[in-house]
């Protein structure tokens, strides 16, 4: 490549790890296919988030095997799995854990003992996160960000790796507590789980109505995943790819000079710096999954939808015209040149890069 690397090249041992990760990715998909039919893009995005140390929101109607997919993924990764069903009466202590008084029968001495909650696992399924009050949502988000929970005056470290997958139901919004945009920003991806194709649903119907024994095998252990997460950070990325990522994100900010007219017409708020960070980290992980030791603009384009869709706020005009955030992202990707040198020469981006 003619592009100048902004980071050093990967070491020889790292290149071997890249091959190992690519093989593991293919094996994980093969293991998941024993239970899950289709949903290849969803599985890929979940693994990218995992290796980037990010968290995901999954949105889809009931019955699309979101819970089964996540629990099966935890088994193939040899990780502890915990499912939390979020309800309106769920309290923070129900998920973080609580202190109880325990008596030593031999001495009669009493002391506080901390009982760990379901957050003390590696893969957390927060089922229907928008059905629990903000206090409990905030306790989960603190754990996601700080990798710890605070009970009383004591901080308790959570297991590593720690991966939160929250689900949302796009229907039946009455009596729910939607996550504010600032809290959704904590999630790396918002992943849409869609209906299966005819062939996929045919296979689902055939499998789930017969006796089939799924013999799942663990592919990666927790310590290996931690090593791969560190490897992602060492993947080189060119200045051009960083500039392209900045161009995509900065164009969404309605108060910035030089942004496209359709952004002003359709958006009331855009994405912040965390979107840039997640796009680059995710692109690094995607490159590794595809067996490459460098990042391309194609990787950024592929992840623009799950990274940006919950960070853009459409206005009334967009809603009245049937414009969604995915529509905005599609046009951004289409109109932003990705070839090296084109961004700098394009007059439209001079104010954005100023």
């Amino acid at each position: 490549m003619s592009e100048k690397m902004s980071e050093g090249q990967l070491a020889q041992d790292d290149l071997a790890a890249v091959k190992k990760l690519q093989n593991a990715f293919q094996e994980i998909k093969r293991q998941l296919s024993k239970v899950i039919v289709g949903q290849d893009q969803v599985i890929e995005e979940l693994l990218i988030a995992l290796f980037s140390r990010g968290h995901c929101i999954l949105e889809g109607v009931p019955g699309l095997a979101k819970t089964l997919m996540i629990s099966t993924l935890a088994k193939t990764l040899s990780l502890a799995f915990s499912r939390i069903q979020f309800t309106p009466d769920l309290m923070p202590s129900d998920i973080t854990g609580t202190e109880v008084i325990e008596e030593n029968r031999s001495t009669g001495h009493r002391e506080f003992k901390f009982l760990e909650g379901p957050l003390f696992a590696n893969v957390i399924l927060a089922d229907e996160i928008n059905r629990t009050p903000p206090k409990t949502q905030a306790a989960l988000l603190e754990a996601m960000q700080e990798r710890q929970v605070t009970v009383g005056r004591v901080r308790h470290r959570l297991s590593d790796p720690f991966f939160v997958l929250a689900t949302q139901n796009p229907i039946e919004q009455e009596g729910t507590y939607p996550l504010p945009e600032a809290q959704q920003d904590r999630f790396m991806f918002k992943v849409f789980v869609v209906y299966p194709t005819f062939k996929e649903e045919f296979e689902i119907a055939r499998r789930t109505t017969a006796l089939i024994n799924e013999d799942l095998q663990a592919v990666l252990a927790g310590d290996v995943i931690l090593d791969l997460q560190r490897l992602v950070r060492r993947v080189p990325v060119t200045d051009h790819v960083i500039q392209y990522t900045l161009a995509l994100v900065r164009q969404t900010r309605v108060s910035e000079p030089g942004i496209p007219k359709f952004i002003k017409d359709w958006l009331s708020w855009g994405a912040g710096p965390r979107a840039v960070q997640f796009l680059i980290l995710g692109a690094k992980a995607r490159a590794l999954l595809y067996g490459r030791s460098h990042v391309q603009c194609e990787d950024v384009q592929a992840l623009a939808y799950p990274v940006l869709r919950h960070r853009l706020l459409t206005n009334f005009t967009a809603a009245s015209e049937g414009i969604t955030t995915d529509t905005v992202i599609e046009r951004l990707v289409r109109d932003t040149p990705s070839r090296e040198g084109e961004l700098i020469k394009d007059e439209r981006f001079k104010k954005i890069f100023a």
Side-chain angles (χ1 to χ4, degrees), residues 47 61 68 169 226 237 296 309 329 352:
L47 289 173
V61 298
L68 179 62
N169 188 341
L226 292 176
V237 57
Q296 299 175 351
R309 62 168 52 115
I329 298 165
I352 293 175

Side-chain angles (χ1 to χ4, degrees), residues 109-280:
H109 179 69
R110 294 183 178 183
E111 59 183 13
F112 281 104
K113 180 182 179 182
F114 177 68
L115 297 181
E116 295 180 348
L119 278 184
F120 287 82
N122 300 116
V123 179
I124 309 296
L125 170 58
D127 220 349
E128 296 190 284
I129 189 175
N130 57 336
R131 296 199 182 275
T132 203
K135 182 184 291 188
T136 308
Q137 291 175 350
L140 174 67
L141 292 165
E142 178 196 358
M144 289 165 45
Q145 186 70 20
E146 307 298 333
R147 311 271 169 160
Q148 66 182 23
V149 297
T150 304
V151 179
R153 297 182 179 179
V154 181
R155 293 176 181 175
H156 303 271
R157 297 295 303 175
L158 293 169
S159 307
D160 221 1
F162 182 68
F163 187 36
V164 174
L165 294 156
T167 67
Q168 286 189 156
N169 188 341
I171 58 177
E172 298 176 345
Q173 296 303 307
E174 186 176 350
T176 62
Y177 305 85
L179 280 176
E181 279 71 21
Q183 293 188 353
Q184 289 191 49
D185 193 50
R186 301 284 183 180
F187 288 91
M188 180 177 186
F189 289 162
K190 184 174 186 179
V191 179
F192 285 162
V193 185
V194 298
Y195 285 116
T197 64
F198 178 85
K199 289 184 178 180
E200 290 170 347
E201 195 161 1
F202 180 89
E203 181 64 17
I204 291 169
R206 188 187 68 81
R207 286 192 192 184
T208 57
T209 56
L211 288 173
I212 297 179
N213 183 26
E214 300 94 2
D215 183 22
L216 293 175
Q217 297 178 356
V219 178
L220 292 176
D223 56 342
V224 178
I225 293 172
L226 292 176
D227 290 339
L228 295 175
Q229 287 177 342
R230 287 188 284 269
L231 174 64
V232 167
R233 299 266 175 171
R234 296 197 295 270
V235 173
V237 57
T238 64
D239 291 344
H240 165 61
V241 171
I242 296 176
Q243 289 170 347
Y244 176 75
T245 307
L246 285 167
L248 281 180
V249 175
R250 291 180 67 86
Q251 284 182 89
T252 68
R253 299 171 187 168
V254 293
S255 60
E256 294 291 321
I259 64 170
K261 183 178 182 300
F262 72 90
I263 294 294
K264 293 181 179 179
D265 291 341
W266 291 341
L267 293 187
S268 58
W269 202 255
R274 191 178 278 128
V276 176
Q277 296 168 341
F278 281 148
L279 271 173
I280 293 175

Side-chain angles (χ1 to χ4, degrees), residues 276-339:
V276 176
Q277 296 168 341
F278 281 148
L279 271 173
I280 293 175
L281 274 175
K284 288 184 175 188
R286 187 179 187 272
L288 293 182
L289 291 183
Y290 281 80
R292 286 184 276 108
S293 58
H294 61 275
V295 180
Q296 299 175 351
C297 288
E298 171 196 343
D299 299 311
V300 178
Q301 292 169 345
L303 300 179
Y305 294 91
V307 170
L308 293 177
R309 62 168 52 115
H310 58 299
R311 293 182 164 88
L312 306 182
L313 193 61
T314 53
N315 56 24
F316 177 78
T317 303
S320 64
E321 296 177 8
I323 301 298
T324 65
T325 54
D326 277 24
T327 310
V328 177
I329 298 165
E330 181 183 10
R331 185 159 174 182
L332 273 175
V333 171
R334 186 186 68 205
D335 294 352
T336 306
S338 59
R339 281 185 162 181

